[in-house]
Structure formats: structure tokens, C-alpha cells
Amino acid sequence: MGTIDLIVIVLYFAGLVGVSLLMSRRIKNSEDMFIAGRNSSWWLSGVSSYMTIFSASTFVVWGGVAYKSGLVAVTTAIMLGFSSLIVSRWIAGRWRRLRIKSPGEYLTVRFGHRTLSFYTVAGIVGRGMHTAVALYAVAVVTCALIQVPDGSILASTGLPGDSAAGNLSIWWALAILGGITLAYTIAGGFLAVLMTDFVQFGVLLSVVVFMVPLSLHAVGGPAAFLEKAGAIPGFFSPTSPTYSWIWLVLWMCLHVAMIGGDWPFVQRYISVPTVKDARKSTALIGVLYLMTPLIWYLPAMAYRTLVPGPGMDVDPAAMTQLGEGAYVSMSKTVLMTGMVGMMLAAMLSATLSNVSGTLNVYANVYTYEIWGRRKRHEGASERERIRAGRLFTLIFGLIIIGIAMLVPLAGGAEKVVVMVITMVLCPLYIPSIWGLFSKRLNGNRLMLAMLVSWVAGFTARFTIPYEVLSPSLIESLSGFAVPVLILGAMELWCKAHGIRCEGSAALEKHVDPNAEKEPTEDARIATRKYSYLAINCFCITLAAIAVLLLALLLAGDPRTLEVKGIVLGFLSAISALIFAYIIYRIVKR
């Protein structure tokens, strides 16, 4: 990676921090800080949710699956589209129907404060570890691409767990990436999360769309790709022995629970003006996931025909390692100077979006439901609430960075951590959704269901032989089927005994009377302001990419000139989009 690439990355992150500082001026109260004053447009909320799902694993882990197994990676991602459409139809609107400021407030009203404490502890521990592993994964990619001179303070230390000699140290990568995310999340709150998510979406989509024709060109064109890839057994099959149809259905169900009940998503549902907007925002996630997976994974699939590797039947470990680096390797193969840095920025932004969303939503719950419920804070001013939220964000963020720094010292413990998180966090989403529909489930039954699910899941995971059920299938069953069966049994038992809980009645009193109404003119104006600001940032991002490519063309960069037609087509598309937006704004004045 050259100097220009590093300059691109620095400018990109400077832009993110700049956006957050701009957003900080618009924060007038705690609702602005945590739910954007309920003035987020449905499409901005939808894109932000879409970006929340992304992380480095999208490119590293699933890019590796695309390299090794082909189309099944696309099928796996498409299942998230169906999950989102299910949530849009039956779940998202129910969240916005409630007059709540945080997911924690819902848990307090519906299940009691003790249940909130149970969820918060499990969520902070689980989400903290999960986010730390995601941060570590993207730091590894960063270190692999950024070389620094020997003797530099930023260079690898050579200690166990650090990056290779001559590369950026993993410790510095974690500190820098974590620090940047903390800076823009603390300064701009949820408004900054929404805006930076949209900027990151622009970078990610632009660079990956640009990579598709470049990747096909590198392997000899679409026809050559289809011919070479078609010769690989099962490469165009929608399933594989590891990812069967049963696993895919369970995967879809798990993501119905995640997209429907995970706090970062719920926060976005309650940040829009109406129930209709919440449904539309989730439907947008579904549409994007039905349309874009082939774009994300085609470069990794094309790399398989360019560098076939030893074959999984010959050396599975080597194939896995080659696959996990396929996206980065293809980027370095086809992208020109500066655009490699933009691609790394896109991969970084995908993970940092996940980190910033986690920090903000837990700061939201802490400020309203833990700090705010203490007697001495009951009359706290909005300024004090904002300060408390920012302080929690700082402390939680530093803890996440600290955990991430321990991962390399644990010698690959991230794989065990991800397995544990899948089996611990996924069952937590289901009862909160269940409580939106059920009038019988109370806090004690919820906690009992979770404890039984965890015990049953981990017992099965470590006792059932691989020959009987694969570990991935056991984890999926433990994360979805087991808690659903337990909750279903509890529901039937309560119904047979005529039991109803008080929390259900209390929740009915928290229905927002304005959630089904059309927003007021003031709300529309506020929503438009945020929308225009987001699109402005998006267009500036696209323009910066276009300027970089145009400069490379004018400078006579050999790699750019080799694919001059593709570059000019891409520049034309960017120009048309920006021009169309300018015309739209002129007409709307």
C-alpha cells in the first residue's frame, strides 16, 4: 500500500470525525443524542440498519466462503433479505407503535427492572466481546495492508500475537481505529451514527461496484469466469454440505430474531416518525439484501478462477487461509493506487459502523434506564443526561478496545468467542419479540427460558458428536429452535392456567398516539434536513472518489489506463447521480 492510499484513509476518517462534529451542533437534548429526535427518514434508518449488519467478517469470513464454495455465500446473504421482509411485515411497526426512548425502557415496562438488569449484563458482556472481536478482525486486515519502516513507533513489536514484521502493529491499529470510532460516536451521538453509516454505505457500494467489472476483466471477462467457475464442482450450487437448506432456514430464522429484536435495530425503528416508516425502513434492508449479495461476493468468486489454490480435498487449511484473504488479494490485484486505500476504508467503515451502533445503543439504555432511574438523577437536566451518555460511551468503548487487545494474546480465541456469542446473544432477541405479542410471558419466565436455553445449548454443543450433528447446526438450533420451543411450552402452560402478566397491560399504556398519524409539518422539515444532509455527505464522498480516479487518468497511471473504459463508465455514473440530485434540489426549492 502506497503513500496515496494512506492519505486517502486519513482523509476518509478525518471526514467521519468532521461529520460527527457537525452533528454535535444539532444535539439539543437526549432524544437527539440517542434516537435523532424521532426525525430520521425511513430510508436513512434502513441504510443505517443495513450497514449495522456489515463487518470485516462480511469480506473476510463470507468472502472466504465465496472463494471456496461459490454461490452458497450469496444464498446465505439473500436469506437475510427474507428475514428483513418478515420483520418489516410483522415486527418493526410494533416497536415504533410504542412510546419508548430506548429498548431498555420497553424491557422495564414489559418485564420489570430486574429483567432489564439481566439483559443489560448479558448484552454488555456478550456484545462487548462480539464487538471487540469484530474490531480485532478489521485491525488484522489493516495491519496486513499497511507497512511501516522498521524502528518506527508504529511498527510491529515482534511480540506473540502482534502482526508480521514490517507492518503496522496490531496494538496501534486497535488504538487508532477504536479511538476514531469513539471520537465520532461521543461527539455526534446517534445523529453521527446515521450520517456516518450513510457515508460508509456510499464508500462501500461505490468501491465494490467498481471492483466487479475490474475483477471480471482480470479473469478474462464474464464468459471466461463462467467457464472456469463452472468447472469447479458445486461452485454454482445454492447450498453445500456445510450450508444445507436446513441450516439456511435456521439462519434466516436467527436473523429474524436479530433484526427484529437486537437493540441497535430497535433503536432505528423507534427513531423514525411513524409505524409506516419503521416498516419501510426494514423493507429497504430486505430489498438491498436481495439485490446486492452477488455484487459483494463476485470479486472473491472471481479470485478463485484467478488463483485456484490447492483444493479443499488436498489442503483445507491452506484453502481457508487463501479464501479469507481473497477479497484483499483481489483488491490489490485489480485496484489502482489510492483505490486500494478506499477499499480498506470501506472494509474498516463496515466494522466501525457496527461498533458505533453498539456503543450508542447501550449508552442510550444506560442513560435512561440505569443512570436516569437513580433517585439523585430523577430531575437531571438534558445537558446532564447527554454528559452521562457520553461518559458511558467512553468507558464502554475503552473496555471494548481493551478486550480486542487481549484477543491476539489468547491465540485465536476469537473463534471460540464468536461461537459463545452466537449461542448466548441470539436467544436473548427472541423473548423481547415474544413479549410484543404475548400477554402471558413475564420477566421470571423470560429469564428461566434463557437460562434453560443456554444450559441445553452448551451441553449439546460439547456432548453431541460431529458425526451426528455439525457444530454449526447445533449452534443454530440452540440459538433459535430451543428458546422458541421453551417459550412456546410456557405460553401454552400459562394459557391452560389462565395466567396473564401485568407487564402486558402496562405496555398498552405506552402506545404512542402519534405513531399511526402522518407527521406534522415541523417533523417533516426536520426529517428533510437530516435527509438532505445525509445525501450531501454521500455526494461529496462520490465526488471525492471521482476526483481521485480522474487524477489517476490525467496522470497516466498505467493500471488506470489499462481499464480506461471501465473507469470512464464509472465516472459517468457518478456524475449522473450527482447531477440528478442537484436538479432535484433546485426543483424542490
Side-chain angles (χ1 to χ4, degrees):
M1 181 177 289
T3 303
I4 295 178
D5 294 300
L6 293 175
I7 292 173
V8 167
I9 293 171
V10 170
L11 290 176
Y12 171 79
F13 284 115
L16 289 186
V17 175
V19 169
S20 70
L21 294 175
L22 180 63
M23 291 300 98
S24 67
R25 297 181 178 182
R26 297 173 179 266
I27 296 176
K28 307 300 182 185
N29 53 51
S30 57
E31 284 201 12
D32 289 340
M33 179 76 179
F34 298 120
I35 55 174
R38 300 194 199 277
N39 291 320
S40 170
S41 62
W42 64 267
W43 57 264
L44 186 56
S45 176
V47 169
S48 182
S49 297
Y50 178 76
M51 287 302 299
T52 298
I53 301 174
F54 274 86
S55 70
S57 65
T58 303
F59 300 98
V60 177
V61 177
W62 291 106
V65 173
Y67 174 85
K68 292 185 294 182
S69 304
L71 195 63
V72 68
V74 177
T75 309
T76 303
I78 286 175
M79 300 307 286
L80 273 65
F82 292 121
S83 301
S84 302
L85 294 177
I86 292 170
V87 173
S88 171
R89 176 64 180 84
W90 284 288
I91 300 173
R94 284 184 174 263
W95 284 115
R96 181 56 190 91
R97 180 173 170 264
L98 301 176
R99 190 179 66 253
I100 56 174
K101 295 180 181 179
S102 75
E105 184 178 356
Y106 159 75
L107 288 172
T108 301
V109 173
R110 180 63 182 83
F111 298 111
H113 201 265
R114 189 169 64 161
T115 304
L116 171 66
S117 300
F118 174 82
Y119 257 78
T120 303
V121 171
I124 285 178
V125 173
R127 266 292 177 183
M129 294 174 68
H130 183 270
T131 306
V133 170
L135 185 61
Y136 168 74
V138 79
V140 169
V141 176
T142 305
C143 293
L145 288 175
I146 297 181
Q147 295 181 332
V148 295
D150 291 335
S152 169
I153 192 174
L154 301 177
S156 172
T157 61
L159 295 173
D162 205 348
S163 50
N167 290 76
L168 177 68
S169 171
I170 189 71
W171 321 115
W172 275 109
L174 289 168
I176 293 170
L177 295 174
I180 290 170
T181 309
L182 269 178
Y184 75 73
T185 307
I186 290 172
F190 189 56
L191 284 172
V193 172
L194 289 173
M195 296 301 165
T196 54
D197 277 354
F198 200 70
V199 171
Q200 291 159 353
F201 174 74
V203 174
L204 187 69
L205 187 65
S206 301
V207 178
V208 175
V209 167
F210 186 48
M211 273 192 67
V212 169
L214 292 178
S215 299
L216 292 175
H217 177 269
V219 299
F225 166 71
L226 292 174
E227 181 182 352
K228 295 175 184 176
I232 303 171
F235 200 73
F236 287 132
S237 172
T239 62
S240 71
T242 303
Y243 305 107
S244 64
W245 281 116
I246 295 175
W247 185 91
L248 287 170
V249 171
L250 286 170
W251 177 256
M252 181 187 73
C253 293
L254 281 169
H255 280 83
V256 169
M258 185 190 78
I259 296 169
D262 195 8
W263 286 4
F265 293 96
V266 174
Q267 187 182 29
R268 285 157 176 79
Y269 303 150
I270 64 178
S271 70
V272 295
T274 67
V275 168
K276 184 178 179 181
D277 290 323
R279 289 172 177 158
K280 287 165 66 177
S281 73
T282 321
L284 177 60
I285 307 172
V287 171
L288 287 173
Y289 259 106
L290 291 176
M291 294 175 59
T292 58
L294 185 59
I295 295 173
W296 304 136
Y297 297 125
L298 194 58
M301 293 169 66
Y303 192 69
R304 175 69 184 275
T305 66
L306 193 66
V307 181
M312 285 186 287
D313 54 337
V314 177
D315 192 343
M319 278 295 285
T320 297
Q321 185 176 12
L322 191 60
E324 290 180 348
Y327 226 104
V328 173
S329 298
M330 183 56 100
S331 300
K332 293 164 71 175
T333 300
V334 302
L335 290 177
M336 51 286 299
T337 302
M339 290 302 291
V340 175
M342 193 66 74
M343 182 63 211
L344 178 57
M347 294 179 69
L348 293 175
S349 66
T351 297
L352 298 189
S353 169
N354 187 297
V355 175
S356 63
T358 297
L359 289 173
N360 188 264
V361 74
Y362 278 96
N364 178 354
V365 172
Y366 169 80
T367 302
Y368 284 125
E369 300 304 317
I370 299 176
W371 182 89
R373 284 184 175 271
R374 294 177 181 174
K375 288 187 178 181
R376 65 176 183 272
H377 298 148
E378 287 179 355
S381 66
E382 289 298 322
R383 184 181 295 273
E384 289 173 324
R385 290 179 185 274
I386 293 172
R387 189 185 301 121
R390 284 174 169 162
L391 180 60
F392 176 86
T393 302
L394 175 63
I395 295 172
F396 189 31
L398 290 175
I399 291 172
I400 287 174
I401 295 171
I403 295 172
M405 288 182 172
L406 293 176
V407 171
L409 298 178
E414 69 273 13
K415 295 182 179 179
V416 178
V417 171
V418 170
M419 180 270 293
V420 172
I421 299 315
T422 301
M423 298 176 68
V424 171
L425 279 183
C426 285
L428 281 174
Y429 309 144
I430 299 169
S432 60
I433 298 173
W434 199 286
L436 292 171
F437 298 88
S438 169
K439 298 182 184 299
R440 297 179 173 86
L441 183 66
N442 63 18
N444 289 335
R445 297 186 188 100
L446 180 154
M447 289 185 283
L448 177 62
M450 293 303 92
L451 292 172
V452 173
S453 296
W454 291 334
V455 171
F458 281 106
T459 301
R461 177 65 177 80
F462 293 109
T463 58
I464 297 178
Y466 179 84
E467 294 77 13
V468 178
L469 283 177
S470 68
S472 61
L473 190 56
I474 293 173
E475 291 167 15
S476 300
L477 288 169
S478 301
F480 180 79
V482 172
V484 166
L485 289 173
I486 294 171
L487 290 169
M490 287 181 171
E491 186 80 15
L492 292 174
W493 185 86
C494 291
K495 183 177 181 180
H497 290 78
I499 297 174
R500 296 176 65 129
C501 65
E502 296 178 359
S504 176
L507 195 64
E508 289 299 322
K509 297 177 182 178
H510 275 69
V511 172
D512 186 350
N514 298 317
E516 299 280 1
K517 299 178 182 178
E518 289 296 318
T520 63
E521 185 59 29
D522 288 343
R524 287 195 183 97
I525 292 172
T527 301
R528 279 199 295 270
K529 284 182 179 178
Y530 292 148
S531 299
Y532 287 153
L533 186 57
I535 299 175
N536 290 344
C537 293
F538 180 80
C539 288
I540 291 171
T541 303
L542 291 182
I545 295 173
V547 169
L548 173 61
L549 289 172
L550 185 60
L552 290 171
L553 275 178
L554 295 176
D557 177 66
R559 182 174 288 188
T560 307
L561 292 175
E562 184 182 343
V563 289
K564 182 178 179 180
I566 295 173
V567 173
L568 289 175
F570 190 63
L571 290 173
S572 299
I574 290 176
S575 301
L577 282 173
I578 295 175
F579 182 73
Y581 175 61
I582 293 172
I583 296 298
Y584 172 80
R585 289 296 302 273
I586 293 173
V587 171
K588 279 291 183 178
R589 281 183 179 177

